[in-house]
Amino acid sequence: MPELLEVEYFRRLAERCAGRTILHIDVPDAHALADGRSPRSLRQAVVGRRIELARRHGKLLVLETDGPALGLRFGMTGGLVVDGELAIDRLLYSPGTFGTAWVRFGIRFDEGELLFHDPRRFGRVSLDPDESRMGPDAMAVTAAELGRALATRGPAPGPALKARLLDQSAIAGIGNLLGDEILWRASLAPSRPARSLAPAELRRLHRHLVATLADLLERGGSHTGDLMAERHLGGRCPKDGSPLERSTVGGRTTWWCPRHQH
Ligand SMILES: [Zn+2]
């Protein structure tokens, strides 16, 4: 599933469309449009507009125009092709090839084109996407913002640390693989109540969150973490060799090391 790193690669590729004018919108699959919007109303809103920039908020890619913005959410298997070039040659979840049958949405510009492909059809394109219920972007989150995101109210013990990291309304962009890798590097148990972190632990989590995202962006994506190869029965902690444990935290399969993650 594309997490913020993959969407960051999409953003970098989409950036080359800045300055181009939208001549036509192709919607081979109307299901790709969010909020029940019709292809016709989308065309009326953006055809003739110029792309100003491509920005990312968590897993949301926003194409700002000189009119309304276009928001792209990639779901489980979405991806981008710009001028025939794939953002990512091969994703963990995809066969590594691009099929025109998977194109759900396309923009033809005065020069070149942008295609949104999505074999499993969970991705969506929206007009002026609502970002009001999204937390701060994980790549830009400050330690203070992270602290506020984890300081939940309500009855004890409150949500688990990992569940909170994956809650897009708390912090935007972290998915299952990144969540496990960050907590493993930060030596924090995923099932701990989010609100139980001491100030020093919070600083450590923030440091590892920032460093993990930078490191894996450089390596090539969410699936390039140190823990990745050990996410299976019999897998061992790359730090201390202990058998890893598999649990379900926040409804998601979680691999972690009971020896060094507390
Ligand atoms: Zn360990």
Side-chain angles (χ1 to χ4, degrees):
M1 180 181 300
E3 301 187 27
L4 114 174
L5 300 179
E6 285 69 35
V7 181
E8 177 61 20
Y9 301 133
F10 300 157
R11 188 197 67 76
R12 292 176 180 185
L13 186 64
E15 215 167 31
R16 75 163 68 156
C17 301
R20 297 184 187 179
T21 299
I22 299 174
L23 292 190
H24 188 69
I25 299 278
D26 294 307
V27 190
D29 180 7
H31 185 70
L33 303 187
D35 314 314
R37 183 172 295 280
S38 69
R40 189 176 162 204
S41 97
L42 191 74
R43 284 185 193 113
Q44 281 170 350
V46 299
V47 168
R49 296 295 186 180
R50 199 180 58 246
I51 302 285
E52 294 191 326
L53 61 93
R55 66 177 175 85
R56 185 188 54 73
H57 182 181
K59 304 178 199 175
L60 171 72
L61 176 66
V62 183
L63 302 176
E64 299 279 5
T65 76
D66 55 350
L70 285 167
L72 277 66
R73 293 184 186 277
F74 295 89
M76 304 276 289
T77 57
L80 276 194
V81 179
V82 176
D83 305 339
E85 190 178 318
L86 276 162
I88 304 169
D89 287 338
R90 186 182 166 78
L91 281 180
L92 189 67
Y93 54 79
S94 80
T97 53
F98 164 71
T100 48
W102 299 336
V103 173
R104 309 293 177 202
F105 176 85
I107 306 176
R108 269 189 271 145
F109 298 106
D110 48 347
E111 176 200 342
E113 64 176 3
L114 176 150
L115 302 176
F116 174 74
H117 59 100
D118 188 11
R120 292 187 59 187
R121 302 174 76 213
F122 288 105
R124 293 289 179 273
V125 178
S126 58
L127 198 64
D128 285 329
D130 180 12
E131 296 173 63
S132 64
R133 274 175 292 181
M134 293 174 70
D137 180 66
M139 208 171 256
V141 74
T142 65
E145 286 171 331
L146 182 63
R148 282 196 291 277
L150 299 181
T152 58
R153 298 202 188 89
L161 179 55
K162 182 183 169 186
R164 201 67 189 150
L165 283 183
L166 266 57
D167 181 343
Q168 303 300 301
S169 70
I171 303 153
I174 299 173
N176 202 39
L177 296 179
L178 287 177
D180 281 0
E181 180 76 15
I182 291 164
L183 292 173
W184 174 77
R185 291 187 181 201
S187 305
L188 293 165
S191 57
R192 258 184 75 170
R195 67 176 75 162
S196 71
L197 266 59
E201 291 177 316
L202 182 64
R203 285 194 298 275
R204 195 170 79 220
L205 175 59
H206 182 255
R207 199 169 64 240
H208 282 285
L209 187 156
V210 171
T212 303
L213 295 180
D215 186 18
L216 271 54
L217 184 70
E218 177 81 24
R219 289 189 195 179
S222 306
H223 61 287
T224 60
D226 296 337
L227 203 55
M228 192 63 205
E230 302 297 327
R231 296 176 66 92
H232 58 83
L233 288 175
R236 289 182 173 271
C237 173
K239 275 187 195 175
D240 53 41
S242 301
L244 292 178
E245 209 155 287
R246 183 176 68 176
S247 326
T248 301
V249 181
R252 304 298 301 274
T253 299
T254 299
W255 291 93
W256 64 290
C257 173
R259 181 188 275 185
H260 87 269
Q261 289 179 255
H262 301 288

